Amino acid sequence: DVQLVESGGGSVQAGGSLRLSCVSSGHTDNSYCMGWFRQAQGPEREGVAAIHVPYGSKYYDRTVKGRFTISQDNAKNTLYLQMNSLKLEDSGLYYCAAVECPLVNWGDPLTYEYKYWGQGTQVTVS
């Protein structure tokens, strides 16, 4: 199984920046889509950003586009989420997730049902 461990959360003032990291292990190749999800109030997790790792295509929710950047360092098996110009509504528990994804006609990874999840890292914007 794939294991995911997030870090980098914290408290920041509105307008500030944070960078989240997610180290993955337990997989033998990079044929995965990976994403960042946010859980604010309630049980629902909303997709924030996703990346098709084999081809590097990136996808963002409209609420974070232009402010957040997702990236993957394959050598370090680490997924990042650079968050700039943070807003109060960006607060929440951020999860890293992964799922095997197709190499053709993959659609929008933000809409996938992810199989592997990290434990989450808290981001608080005040």
Side-chain angles (χ1 to χ4, degrees):
D1 283 355
V2 176
Q3 292 83 44
L4 304 169
V5 180
E6 305 99 330
S7 62
S11 297
V12 64
Q13 289 189 336
S17 299
L18 280 175
R19 188 176 80 157
L20 305 183
S21 300
C22 171
V23 178
S24 61
S25 61
H27 53 92
T28 57
D29 58 34
N30 290 319
S31 59
Y32 285 84
C33 285
M34 299 192 72
W36 288 99
F37 292 77
R38 175 172 64 202
Q39 183 177 8
Q41 297 175 352
E44 294 295 320
R45 296 176 185 178
E46 59 175 350
V48 173
I51 183 169
H52 186 278
V53 174
Y55 285 94
S57 301
K58 301 176 182 181
Y59 304 81
Y60 298 95
D61 182 77
R62 59 175 181 79
T63 61
V64 305
K65 202 167 187 178
R67 300 187 298 121
F68 290 11
T69 302
I70 189 171
S71 61
Q72 169 77 7
D73 185 334
N74 289 333
K76 297 181 178 179
N77 288 332
T78 302
L79 179 74
Y80 300 101
L81 184 68
Q82 178 66 44
M83 305 186 295
N84 298 329
S85 302
L86 282 161
K87 304 177 180 180
L88 297 179
E89 53 265 39
D90 293 322
S91 294
L93 190 57
Y94 281 70
Y95 293 91
C96 170
V99 66
E100 295 91 341
C101 62
L103 297 179
V104 294
N105 302 322
W106 57 80
D108 182 354
L110 273 174
T111 65
Y112 288 1
E113 188 167 331
Y114 281 73
K115 183 176 181 181
Y116 306 103
W117 293 85
Q119 82 289 350
T121 185
Q122 181 68 38
V123 172
T124 303
V125 184
S126 60

